[in-house]
Amino acid sequence: MYDEATIGANVRRLRRWRGMSLRTLADLAGLSQGFLSKVENGKQPLDRRSHIAAVAQALQVSETDLMGGPHLTQDPVQASGHSAVPALRTALTVNTLDDARTDRPRPLDDLAAALDGPVHKAEKSADYATRGTLLAPILAELHAHVAGGGEADQLRALPLLVQASHGVAMTARFLGYDDLAALAAHRACEAAARLEDPVVGGRAAWVRAQTLPRGTVTGRRVAAHAADHLQGMDSPEAQETYGMLHLNAAMCAATLNDLGAAEVHLAEARETASRMGEHPGAWGSFGPANVGVWGVAIATEVGDYEGAVRTAETVDPEQLGSRERQAMLWADFGRALAHMPGRQRDAVTALVRAERIAPQRIRNSGPARHAIEVMLSQAREAAVGRELRGMAARMGVPH
């Protein structure tokens, strides 16, 4: 599974395989020939979701074909989370809501405590190895309660199954298993559909929107539609879900280069977060600080790198309550800095800080990996080069 080719080399290889000239690819993708030439030569990152989707569509390949992944290296931290994937895949594929293959599931109280305790702790620390290992049996056992339990047990188990499927989807997505992430999101939606609970339905919709292909209108529609069903509900759970759905819709709109819609959704999430304030137990870590993290990611997506840096500098990482969210703040900050002349050293510092906070997350991050690839190609100063080469070695990036 480990491919030594850089993303730029993948673009060139796939373009030649399709028998396309650089000009043809540029015309089909709606990007400049000069930009794609720099991408192929490792001088320019292909890190915006809209650009990735456009190039993949023009080449008629999947984004995984284009970007590579999942990536396995000899680094035990980077590779550890992948060991849980086979069991997660089995739990999703052999069980359905009507037919489960687990005979003796633990009581629902025990499963709920595990999801809210050690699984939640692993999520916040971006420990995918622990999270995936814990989730596989929990997922199978919840299927058993849904398929074979009485009505009361089913009603209790279904929202827990949405919660567990969410965890599986995000674990698989961050590790690069997009097919497994989509399957887990589908299972969450199946479970939510059996309940008349707009909050649970909204959370399942959030997972679905997160795992849909980039560059399509579907993700934004799914998130916005679910948010509409929560409009006017004032419980904390509803408001957290409502805000996270608007953040999701904002990113989907940004990926489509619909900057006006992205700002509308982001403003709605920002207003909701301001009204609620910070709360350490909020779903999705929703709050003003996390809205700021999404703001950095969205600004980076649309190419507003100076705006991303300004936004990042206003966010207090200590308010996030999640090492994963802290790491993503520093990673997107670093990616934005990497696009700015004279800020490469600062970019490396930010990316290394992100890696130290959540090594499993960052060493498996496609965008972070690609940023390292490009900066390695651009590096001139020895000190910057040493930092980059060290991080590249840990991520399996050719160096």
Side-chain angles (χ1 to χ4, degrees), residues 19-43:
M20 286 185 188
S21 67
L22 197 60
R23 167 55 62 190
T24 299
L25 176 58
D27 290 344
L28 290 173
L31 300 168
S32 76
Q33 184 176 345
F35 170 77
L36 289 176
S37 177
K38 290 180 180 179
V39 167
E40 288 192 357
N41 290 306
K43 303 299 183 183

Side-chain angles (χ1 to χ4, degrees), residues 121 123-126 285 317 320-330 353-359 361-362:
K121 180 180 179 181
E123 173 194 353
K124 294 298 184 184
S125 61
S285 299
L320 290 167
S322 164
R323 294 181 67 83
E324 181 182 62
R325 301 311 297 154
Q326 291 174 359
M328 293 316 300
L329 170 65
W330 286 106
R353 184 164 185 174
E355 182 196 20
R356 288 172 179 165
I357 292 170
R361 177 71 177 94
I362 301 304

Side-chain angles (χ1 to χ4, degrees), residues 95-302:
N95 296 290
T96 71
L97 299 186
D98 299 310
D99 182 17
R101 298 301 181 183
T102 300
D103 295 330
R104 298 180 180 178
R106 285 169 284 176
L108 285 171
D109 284 345
D110 292 350
L111 296 176
L115 285 172
D116 292 337
V119 174
H120 183 68
K121 180 180 179 181
E123 173 194 353
K124 294 298 184 184
S125 61
D127 182 352
Y128 301 119
T130 299
R131 189 185 190 189
T133 299
L134 292 170
L135 278 171
I138 291 172
L139 191 70
E141 292 171 75
L142 287 171
H143 277 88
H145 281 287
V146 172
E151 183 178 358
D153 269 3
Q154 290 176 351
L155 291 175
R156 174 96 187 278
L158 284 166
L160 295 176
L161 183 56
V162 172
Q163 183 179 350
S165 298
H166 173 196
V168 174
M170 293 299 98
T171 298
R173 178 173 175 264
F174 293 151
L175 292 173
Y177 299 88
D178 291 345
D179 63 326
L180 183 58
L183 178 59
H186 179 68
R187 188 59 48 81
C189 290
E190 284 184 315
R194 296 194 176 188
L195 298 166
E196 296 182 359
D197 187 330
V199 172
V200 175
R203 294 181 178 184
W206 188 90
V207 180
R208 183 184 175 211
Q210 282 284 85
T211 58
L212 284 168
R214 301 168 177 135
T216 67
V217 299
T218 307
R220 180 189 167 199
R221 288 176 178 171
V222 167
H225 182 69
D228 288 343
H229 282 285
L230 294 168
Q231 184 78 42
M233 297 182 65
D234 58 4
S235 71
E237 296 79 10
Q239 287 293 292
E240 292 160 4
T241 308
Y242 175 81
M244 289 299 295
L245 284 163
H246 274 289
L247 289 175
N248 203 328
M251 178 57 81
C252 291
T255 302
L256 295 167
N257 290 313
D258 189 343
L259 306 188
E263 182 51 42
V264 168
H265 288 297
L266 188 58
E268 183 66 16
R270 189 181 296 116
E271 192 279 330
T272 303
S274 177
R275 186 171 63 251
M276 295 188 66
E278 299 289 359
H279 178 58
W283 186 74
S285 299
F286 183 71
N290 198 24
V291 171
V293 174
W294 280 75
V296 175
I298 289 167
T300 302
E301 166 59 28
V302 302

